[in-house]
Amino acid sequence: MIDAFLVALNGVIEPYTLLLMAIGALAGIVSAAIPGFTITMAIVLTLPLTFAMPPLQGIAVMLSVYVGGLSGGLFSAALLGIPGTPSSVATTFDAFPMARSGLPGKALALGLWSSFFGSLISIVVLILAAPPLALLAVKLGPWEYFALIVFALTVIASLVGDSLLRGLIAGLVGIGLATVGPDPLMGRERFTFGYEMLSAGIPFLVVLIGMYAVSQLLSELETSPKQQAQGSTSLISGDMRPHNLETLKAIVLRPVNVIRSSLIGVFIGAVPGAGSSISNLLAYDQAKRSSSHPENFGKGEPQGVIASESGNSSTAGGGLIPLIALGIPGSAVDAVLMAAIMVHGISIGPRLILDNPELVYGMFLSMAVASVLMLCIGLLLMRAFLNLLNVPKYFIVPVVLSCCVIGAFTLNNRITDLYLLAGVGVVGYLFKKLDYPLAPLVLGVVLGPIAETNLRRAFQTSTDWTLFFTRPISAALLALAVASIVYSIVSYVRRSQQAGVPDSNS
Amino acid sequence: MQHVRVQHELVSALQTISYGIIAALAMFLFFRAGSLPTSRWEPMSAGAFPRIIFLSISILCLLAVAVDLFKQGWPKLSLSHAMHRLRRLKLVLLNLALFIAYVVVMPWLGYIVSTFAYLLLAQATMIPKRLTRMMVAVAVALIFSAGPYYLFADVFNIYLPRARLAG
């Protein structure tokens, strides 16, 4: 164990790796600071750049982008009142009023330090939780794995978007897309219709880039550049000094808020489908409820900024728990990280920690180092980030679309993947316009082959289908899946009754 | 308020139609999966899992249609409003068409030329028509077409598509 840790430490603190990680953290902050450019897009576009790197270095860079991205949304949230990413929605509630009142530096520093502490707390939980969970997961059979995936997909479908039915349909469409190409056990071709470009299947990353990046960028064009120019806010002026000592006091002397918010973030991050877009709001809500001055929230209350930013940044560590322990990505970003590891020929699953401990320890260390880099870069370049918020969409959208093309092409060096990218992009845009959640679809593509493999293995072992319901862990997971659907329906009915306005189907 | 209601009705109607389309496609693939050969080595053949998935999709879509019809009645699709919405999306459609053209011509023109042309044209659809902005657009197109090509070729040894027309 110590050997593996030292190998990992040696890999992470290598100057070249640190330099690349610093660039990654900077890229993450920059991308998340630009409204409309999401963390998922940033991490997807980073992936091809890591192909030529050793596995640990590549993962370290991607984790740096991730950690940087989780705090980057703070800049546009605090300075423009526009959340750069969905994970910084709650940050706008107090960071923006604080910045408007002449303390933009303090608002940003509070957010950055909170993100730093949130990340650190999530890493501690990750280190404590992932290895024992992985040891348990090694003992799981195909029945339990299949049940786990059913549970994950139902939770994702019920948590994301407004409609459980559309969430479930999207998840199943994702699994359906994954059945195109060779079947995972016998390699028999399915649904290729004679097209050679489908014979290898639809690559998951092409689906991810098309669904998230292309559809999101097209959506950005719905606001015309003229409207964009009219809507742009003048930059905030005021004290840009970070007041580090004062900021640290505000966090450390009242640790309950940052610890509670971080633990909420870790828990939400570990639940498949939930993520930083939910955790920041939940953490903010809990901070407000337990505050002795809830009336100050929304008017520039420092504890509001702390809760939101520590809540969203800590989801990174939480999301890695099911990925490392079970090989199940809980979010699109985790799925890309999974792909990045698999590109290097390393299989993901509970044996990852047993077979490649240096990589897992390297991931823990990279997260910690990335948090420090994010804090330093954020505090040092605070003023420079102000200018980024004014980059117009007519530059960003075409340039990022061309980067998507690079990402899709470099994956397999196949030009036909670009045609698939365009097709998936169009479908993704239509799904987005029709309010289908994209996260279940993308995760369906990732989880589909795992589900099929385990289901077929289960039946190869025994044709008795009741084993899914008689083995305790499998039965418990399937019961939880049913419970998540029932809960979703009940809460929808309650919401409808309270609002009195019927939405489309739940 | 009226506008929001009409907009909501349009989206609801399109959602109902989308359920029908997805259900039809899923049923087609369900029957297609049934024609896949079975294996004597395993109880579940290559077609069994897709059949479960596509049948589930069809059932869920039909359920969604039923719920929609029960709640909102037959979909009210105002053609004039749909056309109005479509006209408002002309920038999206134009850029989508440019993007599709970009990936289609890339094998013939190569990465650098096609990317340069795409970036220039895409920016031209949105950019304010001023000389300085146009010059910046040309510079952006040049940097982000040639730059990534040489970065990937020289640093990562990954070659982005070269022009077939160049031989």
Side-chain angles (χ1 to χ4, degrees):
Chain A
M1 181 185 156
I2 292 175
D3 286 351
F5 180 80
L6 290 174
V7 170
L9 183 68
N10 189 39
V12 174
I13 60 165
E14 198 185 309
Y16 184 57
T17 307
L18 284 176
L19 174 70
L20 290 175
M21 285 177 75
I23 295 170
L26 178 66
I29 298 175
V30 168
S31 56
I34 300 168
F37 197 106
T38 62
I39 304 167
T40 314
M41 270 193 239
I43 212 145
V44 160
L45 298 178
T46 311
L47 182 62
L49 302 174
T50 65
F51 287 166
M53 298 177 193
L56 178 56
Q57 197 175 62
I59 291 293
V61 172
M62 292 185 75
L63 283 171
S64 305
V65 176
Y66 190 13
V67 171
L70 282 170
S71 63
L74 161 75
F75 287 89
S76 55
L79 301 175
L80 295 181
I82 305 167
T85 60
S87 61
S88 51
V89 171
T91 309
T92 55
F93 301 162
D94 283 294
F96 187 52
M98 190 186 280
R100 287 283 292 263
S101 66
L103 293 169
K106 191 183 170 190
L108 291 176
L110 259 179
L112 286 166
W113 278 105
S114 308
S115 291
F116 172 69
F117 283 114
S119 296
L120 285 192
I121 291 169
S122 79
I123 296 162
V124 172
V125 179
L126 171 68
I127 292 169
L128 293 176
L133 194 59
L135 288 175
L136 176 76
V138 176
K139 293 172 186 150
L140 299 181
W143 302 271
E144 285 80 16
Y145 252 91
F146 179 75
L148 182 65
I149 290 163
V150 172
F151 168 60
L153 277 174
T154 50
V155 171
I156 294 161
S158 55
L159 280 179
V160 184
D162 301 326
S163 155
L164 171 67
L165 268 178
R166 278 197 294 280
L168 287 173
I169 293 169
L172 287 171
V173 167
I175 298 180
L177 282 176
T179 62
V180 175
D183 88 84
L185 285 192
M186 298 293 179
R188 196 179 292 279
E189 256 187 30
R190 302 184 294 200
F191 312 120
T192 56
F193 304 101
Y195 289 102
E196 206 185 313
M197 70 174 175
L198 295 177
S199 59
I202 301 175
F204 148 67
L205 280 165
V206 171
V207 176
L208 190 101
I209 298 171
M211 282 286 161
Y212 271 94
V214 175
S215 70
Q216 175 64 35
L217 289 165
L218 290 173
S219 301
E220 287 297 320
L221 295 175
E222 287 173 21
T223 339
S224 72
K226 269 184 198 168
Q227 283 171 303
Q228 200 193 326
Q230 283 162 1
S232 66
T233 320
S234 59
L235 290 175
I236 282 170
S237 57
D239 185 3
M240 278 304 287
R241 284 173 301 160
H243 300 283
N244 283 316
L245 203 63
E246 198 183 316
T247 307
L248 265 172
K249 269 187 192 168
I251 299 170
V252 177
L253 294 181
R254 295 171 75 182
V256 177
N257 186 18
V258 73
I259 293 172
R260 181 188 50 228
S261 305
S262 303
L263 291 178
I264 289 173
V266 172
F267 177 73
I268 296 286
V271 175
S276 51
S277 51
I278 297 172
S279 65
N280 75 106
L281 291 163
L282 268 181
Y284 183 87
D285 180 55
Q286 287 304 314
K288 190 177 174 182
R289 279 172 198 268
S290 53
S291 170
S292 51
H293 298 287
E295 69 281 1
N296 291 346
F297 278 70
K299 297 172 189 165
E301 168 63 44
Q303 294 302 321
V305 183
I306 294 169
S308 172
E309 281 302 305
S310 53
N312 68 27
S313 293
S314 53
T315 50
L320 288 180
I321 295 173
L323 181 70
I324 291 174
L326 307 167
I328 307 262
S331 68
V333 174
D334 294 323
V336 185
L337 288 174
M338 180 175 155
I341 297 172
M342 288 167 74
V343 161
H344 291 285
I346 298 166
S347 61
I348 287 278
R351 290 206 62 84
L352 176 71
I353 206 160
L354 302 171
D355 298 340
N356 298 87
E358 69 289 345
L359 186 69
V360 176
Y361 292 132
M363 287 169 85
F364 298 157
L365 286 167
S366 308
M367 287 270 296
V369 173
S371 306
V372 177
L373 290 170
M374 172 276 294
L375 180 70
C376 297
I377 291 168
L379 290 173
L380 285 172
L381 301 179
M382 218 179 252
R383 282 173 196 277
F385 287 130
L386 285 169
N387 300 320
L388 269 177
L389 306 174
N390 277 348
V391 178
K393 279 180 192 167
Y394 47 77
F395 289 136
I396 293 173
V397 173
V399 167
V400 178
L401 274 171
S402 71
C403 293
C404 291
V405 164
I406 297 175
F409 177 78
T410 49
L411 190 64
N412 294 312
N413 281 334
R414 273 198 314 239
I415 205 89
T416 48
D417 282 354
L418 301 184
Y419 306 149
L420 285 174
L421 175 74
V424 172
V426 173
V427 173
Y429 180 68
L430 289 174
F431 265 47
K432 202 175 165 70
K433 293 304 297 173
L434 294 175
D435 208 15
Y436 285 86
L438 299 181
L441 194 150
V442 169
L443 290 174
V445 177
V446 182
L447 298 177
I450 307 174
E452 181 174 3
T453 305
N454 282 291
L455 182 67
R456 286 168 69 177
R457 274 198 192 138
F459 277 102
Q460 277 176 343
T461 314
S462 166
T463 49
D464 182 9
W465 58 269
T466 58
L467 284 172
F468 285 101
F469 305 99
T470 52
R471 290 173 67 100
I473 296 175
S474 170
L477 288 166
L478 290 175
L480 282 171
V482 174
S484 75
I485 292 177
V486 172
Y487 174 76
S488 175
I489 293 170
V490 169
S491 51
Y492 167 75
V493 171
R494 274 196 199 144
R495 271 204 317 270
S496 297
Q497 282 171 348
Q498 279 168 4
V501 182
D503 183 15
S504 54
N505 54 68
S506 107
Chain B
M1 198 65 193
Q2 168 76 5
H3 173 74
V4 174
R5 194 180 56 79
V6 174
Q7 168 76 12
H8 176 77
E9 278 177 0
L10 177 68
V11 173
S12 286
L14 291 174
Q15 277 170 351
T16 312
I17 293 167
S18 74
Y19 299 143
I21 294 170
I22 295 171
L25 275 173
M27 279 317 287
F28 168 72
L29 292 170
F30 170 78
F31 288 115
R32 184 93 187 181
S35 64
L36 286 168
T38 52
S39 164
R40 67 167 73 168
W41 309 112
E42 59 164 344
M44 282 186 83
S45 64
F49 183 76
R51 276 168 77 87
I52 296 169
I53 296 301
F54 291 121
L55 186 65
S56 308
I57 294 175
S58 306
I59 292 169
L60 284 175
C61 285
L62 294 177
L63 186 64
V65 171
V67 172
D68 268 8
L69 291 179
F70 177 73
K71 274 187 184 168
Q72 294 153 359
W74 201 249
K76 301 175 198 79
L77 188 62
S78 156
L79 204 63
S80 62
H81 186 73
M83 291 310 291
H84 174 69
R85 280 289 302 161
L86 211 57
R87 274 195 295 275
R88 286 188 64 184
L89 293 177
K90 70 175 181 203
L91 196 59
V92 177
L93 297 174
L94 182 61
N95 273 275
L96 183 61
L98 274 175
F99 182 67
I100 292 170
Y102 165 47
V103 296
V104 168
V105 301
M106 191 179 287
W108 285 273
L109 299 181
Y111 177 81
I112 296 181
V113 176
S114 59
T115 305
F116 178 79
Y118 164 71
L119 288 177
L120 201 59
L121 288 172
Q123 289 179 90
T125 61
M126 296 178 269
I127 204 163
K129 303 286 179 283
R130 269 181 265 155
L131 185 66
T132 47
R133 296 285 170 102
M134 291 304 284
M135 282 167 69
V136 174
V138 173
V140 167
L142 201 61
I143 291 165
F144 286 94
S145 54
Y149 183 87
Y150 290 109
L151 173 79
F152 274 83
D154 296 339
V155 180
F156 304 120
N157 284 324
I158 295 171
Y159 293 93
L160 296 172
R162 273 174 277 197
R164 270 186 215 164
L165 292 178

